[in-house]
Amino acid sequence: MADRAFAVVGMGRFGSSVAKTLYEMGYDVMAIDTDEEKIQDHIQSVTYAVQADSTDEQALKELGMRNFDVVVVAIGEDIQASILSTLILKELGVKKVVVKAQSERHGKVLYKIGADRVVFPERDMGARVANNLVSPGILDFIELAEDYSVAEIAATTGMIGKDLVTLDIRARFGVNVMAIKSGENINIAPNAEDVIQEDDVLVVIGHNSDLKRLEEKSK
Ligand code: ATP
């Protein structure tokens, strides 16, 4: 399945998790870090683990960085190193460079110098946890655009034993049910006649305020 090759720079908690997950999914992954100890820790969990400094253009060239489909820059604290590495990778011709940003301002600079995607794991996770604290019925959500999200909502007592046509979620809340998760199984094309069972999770899409209404109404 290794049809795409990834490189991850910086084996902090985030970079390490990205690298290990991709490797477990069957992709080729090169892990890069300046810290020899971090490299030793990752030898078993990626395809290659290499000690190198990503601000060293020659070193990146020698590692053949332009042959990777995606390079993830996961250096957090040293903002200068993160920016410089991104710049060098884009100059070397890497098609897709994904960078972890520490702050909005850091993110803006990264986009300006050519990063293809900037991620804010701490900010996004913080928002997800906060949302879950205020709306415990929303198990998880992914913001698609400003104000629109995909959310996972636990089926409530009021829903159990009813089919989708009876619940009429679309007309009542303006929210679409995209899938129904029942334990390990997932029904990705739910029909009007599908009946909600206990412990089911509804994967829904809609405006944030409508999703909130659905969550509150169905408490
Ligand atoms: P996390 O929150 O994901 O744990 P972080 O945001 O605190 O990480 P850092 O610890 O600053 O990020 O950096 C992550 C890793 O990046 C460290 O292991 C560090 O050794 C490595 N690193 C820093 N600068 C470079 C560089 N120029 N080249 C390669 N690796 C680097």
Side-chain angles (χ1 to χ4, degrees):
M1 213 253 274
D3 54 343
R4 291 215 283 168
F6 296 86
V8 183
V9 179
M11 290 296 108
R13 286 158 300 181
F14 177 76
S16 169
S17 169
V18 172
K20 284 182 182 167
T21 308
L22 287 167
Y23 183 67
E24 279 161 17
M25 287 195 279
Y27 293 103
D28 273 332
V29 179
M30 180 191 275
I32 299 166
D33 204 294
T34 40
D35 185 344
E36 175 62 29
E37 214 171 293
K38 288 272 169 70
I39 292 309
Q40 289 304 328
D41 288 348
H42 286 81
I43 284 178
Q44 304 291 335
S45 44
V46 295
T47 324
Y48 324 93
V50 184
Q51 185 192 10
D53 182 342
S54 59
T55 61
D56 177 349
E57 183 168 359
Q58 195 53 35
L60 292 188
K61 248 189 213 160
E62 281 164 17
L63 288 173
M65 294 312 276
R66 55 166 304 153
N67 301 320
F68 287 90
D69 299 288
V70 182
V71 179
V72 180
V73 179
I75 302 170
E77 264 162 53
D78 189 347
I79 292 184
Q80 202 174 318
S82 146
I83 292 171
L84 192 54
S85 307
T86 307
L87 192 66
I88 296 172
L89 289 164
K90 283 314 288 183
E91 276 179 0
L92 288 178
V94 177
K95 278 197 204 68
K96 188 158 184 184
V97 179
V98 178
V99 194
K100 168 183 140 146
Q102 286 285 71
S103 63
E104 299 288 333
R105 209 172 268 188
H106 180 197
K108 261 191 200 158
V109 175
L110 292 169
Y111 273 125
K112 276 215 162 59
I113 60 162
D116 299 281
R117 187 167 162 208
V118 177
V119 293
F120 301 87
E122 286 92 356
R123 183 200 68 184
D124 295 349
M125 202 48 177
R128 283 164 85 162
V129 170
N131 258 281
N132 181 253
L133 291 175
V134 232
S135 309
I138 298 185
L139 306 176
D140 201 0
F141 84 97
I142 303 166
E143 208 152 40
L144 295 178
E146 206 180 330
D147 298 334
Y148 287 88
S149 304
V150 171
E152 287 191 352
I153 294 184
T156 52
T157 338
M159 294 180 183
I160 296 160
K162 292 185 183 141
D163 61 16
L164 289 178
V165 74
T166 313
L167 289 171
D168 207 15
I169 291 172
R170 192 184 308 170
R172 287 167 59 213
F173 300 97
V175 166
N176 273 299
V177 179
M178 297 198 300
I180 301 170
K181 285 185 177 178
S182 308
E184 296 282 285
N185 299 321
I186 177 159
N187 171 2
I188 55 156
N191 295 315
E193 306 81 45
D194 286 336
V195 175
I196 307 295
Q197 315 287 339
E198 199 173 345
D199 296 330
D200 276 2
V201 171
L202 276 63
V203 184
V204 293
I205 181 169
H207 193 279
N208 289 348
S209 58
D210 293 332
L211 293 171
K212 184 117 189 54
R213 239 169 11 101
L214 171 64
E215 191 255 345
E216 276 171 0
K217 191 80 181 185
S218 46
K219 263 179 196 161

